[in-house]
Amino acid sequence: MALNTYEMRASRDFHRQVVVPMETALTRRSDHPYRAVRKITCLGSGFVGGPTSAVIALKSNVEVTVVDVNTERIAAWQSDTLPIYEPGLYEVVHAVRDGSLPGQQHSGHDFRGEYGNSCPAQRASLFFSTDVDQAIVDADLIFVCVNTPTKTHGIGKGSAADLDFVEAATRNIARVATEDKIVVEKSTVPCKTAQAIREILAANAHPGVRFDVLSNPEFLAEGTAIRDLLHPDRIIIGSTPTPEGHRAAASLADIYGQWVPRERIITMNLWSSELSKLAANAMLAQRISSVNALSAICEATGADVDEVSHACGLDSRIGPQMLKAGPGFGGSCFQKDIFNIVYLSESLHLSEVADYWRAIINMNEHQKERFTRRIISCLYNNLAGKKLAVLGFAFKKDTSDTRESPAITLVSNFIAERARVAIYDPQVPSQQIWRELVDNGCELEVLKRNVSVCPSAYAACEAADAVVVLTEWDEFSNKTTIPALTERESPRPLANLDTNIDIPYTSLKVKHQACSPSSSEFERTASFQIPPRKSSGVAIKDPKSGEIKLFAAQRSPSGKSELQLSLEHPTNIQSPPCQSLGQKSSTMANVLPIGNAILSPSFANNSLVLPTVPSVHGKANAMDALQKATKPFNDRLQAVEITSRPTSTSKLDWTRVAKGMRRPMFVFDGRNILDHSKLEALGFRVEAIGKRGPAANEQHT
């Protein structure tokens, strides 16, 4: 079946628009419409099942139940401490699970601004349970989101996918279901897995029960999963080339069509859908291994890998995505999916094809070993007894996932060299770090003697011989500016507001000072971000008081691309800001954000005015102007700060780090997130991937 998009057709059987495959329109009879899904069950509560279910519950009129046999994990999903970390996930889960907004912003994101085009749901529509059988019985549609690890035994060991969990889930569905169901394969699986699912269901189904099997792979990037779910590049739905298959696909497309543009919902056959997921991840991993291979050449020649990748990324045929050199890719998907392609190729007797894809894995492992050897070489070919502070253990920032993280290999190598290792990661639990190292072959007794998991970066760096940065968490960077977000990474604009304003990605941090009943002063900090490009309007919440201040934005009278903000009166958190944004009118305030500059503000007629004043030098003048302007008001603004990105944690003070380290001080920048000149001014000796460091320069002089 050729690729086709969906067109919107109004069904007389339902009082809403539904999404129907164009080629199935003629096969549908008005008296037999496809099934409207009201309840979904998700088998599996991991990195795919949890976020996917939460967003579907948020954006559709469907009730979603997530089930898992792991009682501890389900209990965590039902609590305020979710089992996984993902920016925006807490806000979404809290809204649809409890029918309300959270009391505080765990991930530093404005729920109403970025994650909802409407006000939060007033009723709970997301549920978590360990009663798998009952959830299957109640569901119209079932997502299979169980784990599919690489086999560790038998034929295909080390490359083929282990489908034990998929088969077990399939047999359970067939055993329990007494009515027709749509079963959606969402786990990453090899080609032809859907065929196996169909055969198992058909062989074990109760009399008269029909199962339609779909493939609906996820294309989420950890760290941006919520954004990816809210604004996907594409939704792929694979089905059998039959009228029944098309109708099942239309039922699923109807759900996504409630928030995803119809041109992004694409159907294809089952096998193409399954392979598209593996192919996408393999090609992304290929880009990372390519730039990592170039990083070795850069170190040998004196070229700078950041400059080389930037030059390549400017080519529209290549683009800038996934061209950042590092210690190697990680996560649950890239390596596993490439191994799946390797095994598939070998099974089809395509040995050259298998060798090609296997080379990507080999390059990834080589990068980890090469970085390890460079660290050992710089530390005088001896790590025994030396303390290495490892900053970051997750495989990338903005996630707590450590599966296949490069840090596992590097820390294991350090331990093998008899180094003492202190690890800090802002989101990864200590138990998870211990488990990963033990699973990688480290002996627990050796770990206890030589490894410590620290509560802060400062504790990890105290008396260290070297700092090794392995995860690009924003708090580790000492750069004053961060490259602008790409279109793919940018949060989407708010709805129902003027969209003719073209502004850069910027955030404002507004500090308030007020008096408590006991007259003791305290400081409140509320942050909001101005969305990028064509958007206007923000809402900020004071995390301590719960107050929300509404800002609306309009094009300036001159017609220039200026952002105008009007500060509305504080309103209670229960008042939906989406009803007020863009509707109130008051004196407007012109803002032209200029990077990290501090603007000189004034305050008049209930409007915060932040004119661009390039001549303002430092924070003192801005503070003085602000204090004078806001003196008559009870809610006294104390400072306004422009930053390139909002951050939920404070930056690491490298001056403080330097005071506590042993001499000579080494920093190994595995992610190229540090300003080397600043560190060198503090006395650090900096080595980075893809850049010739001091050691190499000395050899060439």
Side-chain angles (χ1 to χ4, degrees):
M1 181 177 67
L3 289 181
N4 59 87
T5 55
Y6 283 94
E7 63 178 350
M8 300 295 294
R9 294 178 179 272
S11 170
R12 72 181 187 180
D13 301 282
F14 305 102
H15 299 291
R16 56 189 175 89
Q17 281 192 317
V18 296
V19 185
V20 184
M22 288 187 292
E23 66 182 52
T24 67
L26 297 178
T27 69
R28 286 186 58 228
R29 300 190 312 177
S30 59
D31 57 336
H32 288 91
Y34 66 85
R35 185 174 187 174
V37 175
R38 300 302 180 188
K39 291 187 177 182
I40 291 176
T41 287
C42 179
L43 303 183
S45 61
F47 278 91
V48 175
T52 299
S53 298
V55 170
I56 289 177
L58 175 74
K59 302 299 289 184
S60 73
N61 59 358
V62 177
E63 183 179 290
V64 186
T65 299
V66 181
V67 293
D68 203 304
V69 296
N70 188 325
T71 57
E72 292 183 1
R73 179 173 283 264
I74 289 298
W77 279 110
Q78 293 171 333
S79 72
D80 283 339
T81 305
L82 302 185
I84 62 176
Y85 171 77
E86 188 72 33
L89 177 61
Y90 176 84
E91 287 82 355
V92 174
V93 168
H94 199 294
V96 292
R97 184 192 66 189
D98 305 329
S100 62
L101 276 175
Q104 59 182 352
Q105 299 177 22
H106 277 212
S107 60
H109 285 72
D110 187 326
F111 173 82
R112 292 180 174 89
E114 185 175 343
Y115 301 124
N117 290 335
S118 61
C119 295
Q122 297 303 306
R123 64 177 182 85
S125 55
L126 177 66
F127 306 92
F128 297 93
S129 173
T130 56
D131 192 344
V132 178
D133 290 357
Q134 187 61 50
I136 292 174
V137 170
D138 294 341
D140 302 310
L141 182 147
I142 301 170
F143 280 128
V144 179
C145 298
V146 297
N147 192 20
T148 55
T150 302
K151 285 187 69 174
T152 58
H153 58 278
I155 298 176
K157 175 182 177 181
S159 58
D162 189 338
L163 300 179
D164 282 353
F165 297 121
V166 173
E167 182 173 345
T170 302
R171 291 185 179 277
N172 197 40
I173 292 170
R175 179 182 63 83
V176 173
T178 56
E179 295 180 345
D180 295 353
K181 308 288 181 185
I182 299 174
V183 179
V184 182
E185 166 198 86
K186 205 161 185 66
S187 300
T188 303
V189 294
C191 279
K192 298 291 186 177
T193 300
Q195 180 62 34
I197 293 176
R198 292 178 63 204
E199 292 177 359
I200 293 172
L201 290 172
N204 295 276
H206 291 284
V209 176
R210 174 185 175 82
F211 295 101
D212 291 298
V213 178
L214 302 175
S215 171
N216 177 219
E218 52 84 17
F219 296 96
L220 309 180
E222 292 185 49
T224 60
I226 299 300
R227 191 183 306 158
D228 296 339
L229 287 162
L230 289 169
H231 312 284
D233 292 328
R234 75 285 201 197
I235 297 293
I236 302 296
I237 301 175
S239 67
T240 56
T242 63
E244 294 80 9
H246 294 159
R247 290 175 182 138
S251 294
L252 180 57
D254 184 27
I255 298 169
Y256 287 116
Q258 296 180 51
W259 80 92
V260 179
R262 61 183 181 272
E263 64 273 11
R264 296 186 182 181
I265 303 175
I266 302 170
T267 61
M268 57 184 66
N269 70 45
L270 283 168
W271 330 132
S272 297
S273 177
E274 289 175 335
L275 185 57
S276 67
K277 166 64 175 178
L278 301 178
N281 279 343
M283 296 180 75
L284 292 172
Q286 178 192 47
R287 289 172 68 92
I288 297 175
S289 282
S290 294
V291 74
N292 281 342
L294 290 171
S295 72
I297 299 176
C298 289
E299 292 171 23
T301 61
D304 187 316
V305 71
D306 283 343
E307 295 175 350
V308 172
S309 61
H310 177 68
C312 293
L314 293 175
D315 190 324
S316 60
R317 298 168 299 175
I318 300 174
Q321 297 294 334
M322 310 297 283
L323 289 181
K324 187 71 173 177
F329 57 75
S332 64
C333 293
F334 283 2
Q335 179 169 296
K336 180 183 68 174
D337 292 353
I338 293 176
F339 277 141
N340 274 333
I341 292 181
V342 169
Y343 184 72
L344 176 63
S345 301
E346 291 176 338
S347 301
L348 299 172
H349 307 292
L350 302 173
S351 58
E352 292 83 4
V353 175
D355 291 342
Y356 172 79
W357 292 110
R358 188 182 289 107
I360 296 172
I361 299 293
N362 294 340
M363 183 65 233
N364 196 56
E365 295 303 313
H366 172 69
Q367 186 75 347
K368 301 174 194 176
E369 297 300 324
R370 197 173 64 82
F371 193 40
T372 299
R373 290 197 302 269
R374 184 173 178 184
I375 293 172
I376 295 173
S377 176
C378 291
L379 292 175
Y380 315 111
N381 294 308
N382 176 35
L383 297 186
K386 294 178 180 176
K387 180 181 178 180
L388 303 185
V390 172
L391 300 186
F393 200 83
F395 83 93
K396 61 184 289 189
K397 73 172 186 176
D398 292 335
T399 181
S400 59
D401 195 353
T402 57
R403 288 174 290 182
E404 305 297 338
S405 173
I408 299 172
T409 299
L410 271 87
V411 170
S412 298
N413 291 342
F414 299 155
I415 296 171
E417 294 290 330
R418 300 182 181 178
R420 295 180 296 114
V421 184
I423 303 170
Y424 166 71
D425 190 289
Q427 292 298 335
V428 180
S430 58
Q431 299 91 336
Q432 187 172 332
I433 294 175
W434 295 118
R435 184 173 62 251
E436 291 285 12
L437 294 174
V438 170
D439 290 345
N440 196 51
C442 295
E443 296 181 6
L444 183 58
E445 292 302 319
V446 175
L447 290 177
K448 290 180 178 179
R449 290 196 304 267
N450 298 293
V451 178
S452 59
V453 180
C454 301
S456 70
Y458 299 111
C461 295
E462 181 66 28
D465 295 273
V467 176
V468 184
V469 179
L470 295 181
T471 308
E472 69 278 21
W473 289 104
D474 291 341
E475 67 178 274
F476 300 153
S477 176
N478 67 335
K479 292 184 177 180
T480 53
T481 59
I482 302 177
L485 293 179
T486 64
E487 183 70 19
R488 169 72 177 145
E489 295 173 316
S490 301
R492 303 308 197 268
L494 295 173
N496 304 321
L497 292 173
D498 176 78
T499 58
N500 295 319
I501 302 170
D502 191 9
I503 57 176
Y505 181 92
T506 311
S507 71
L508 293 176
K509 183 176 290 183
V510 184
K511 294 183 179 179
H512 307 264
Q513 189 179 54
C515 293
S516 67
S518 62
S519 298
S520 61
E521 293 189 346
F522 63 94
E523 183 180 76
R524 302 172 183 166
T525 300
S527 299
F528 63 89
Q529 66 183 25
I530 302 173
R533 296 186 178 275
K534 295 181 178 180
S535 73
S536 51
V538 289
I540 65 171
K541 179 174 71 68
D542 186 322
K544 293 187 177 180
S545 71
E547 289 182 340
I548 290 179
K549 291 185 181 296
L550 307 179
F551 291 78
Q554 299 178 3
R555 180 175 290 278
S556 65
S558 64
K560 296 180 180 179
S561 295
E562 298 176 351
L563 176 66
Q564 297 184 327
L565 297 178
S566 70
L567 175 63
E568 307 293 353
H569 292 288
T571 183
N572 188 276
I573 187 172
Q574 298 300 326
S575 300
C578 56
Q579 296 178 355
S580 302
L581 283 173
Q583 296 179 1
K584 295 187 177 182
S585 60
S586 61
T587 303
M588 307 304 292
N590 293 332
V591 179
L592 284 175
I594 50 173
N596 291 326
I598 298 300
L599 306 183
S600 177
S602 60
F603 199 83
N605 298 328
N606 255 0
S607 291
L608 173 66
V609 184
L610 304 174
T612 300
V613 184
S615 60
V616 172
H617 300 289
K619 295 184 179 181
N621 290 346
M623 180 70 76
D624 292 342
L626 190 56
Q627 289 176 338
K628 292 177 182 178
T630 61
K631 187 175 181 180
F633 299 91
N634 292 330
D635 189 15
R636 297 186 297 281
L637 297 173
Q638 291 296 300
V640 176
E641 181 181 353
I642 301 289
T643 57
S644 57
R645 286 188 187 180
T647 57
S648 58
T649 54
S650 59
K651 292 281 190 176
L652 182 64
D653 183 352
W654 284 93
T655 301
R656 178 179 169 184
V657 171
K659 292 179 180 179
M661 286 185 62
R662 296 179 61 188
R663 267 57 175 175
M665 302 181 298
F666 288 87
V667 172
F668 297 95
D669 186 2
R671 297 289 185 171
N672 284 317
I673 61 171
L674 301 175
D675 186 323
H676 296 180
S677 61
K678 288 184 177 180
L679 292 181
E680 289 167 354
L682 294 174
F684 287 102
R685 185 169 177 172
V686 185
E687 302 279 343
I689 286 180
K691 300 180 181 182
R692 178 180 286 176
N697 289 330
E698 291 172 1
Q699 295 175 4
H700 287 78
T701 56

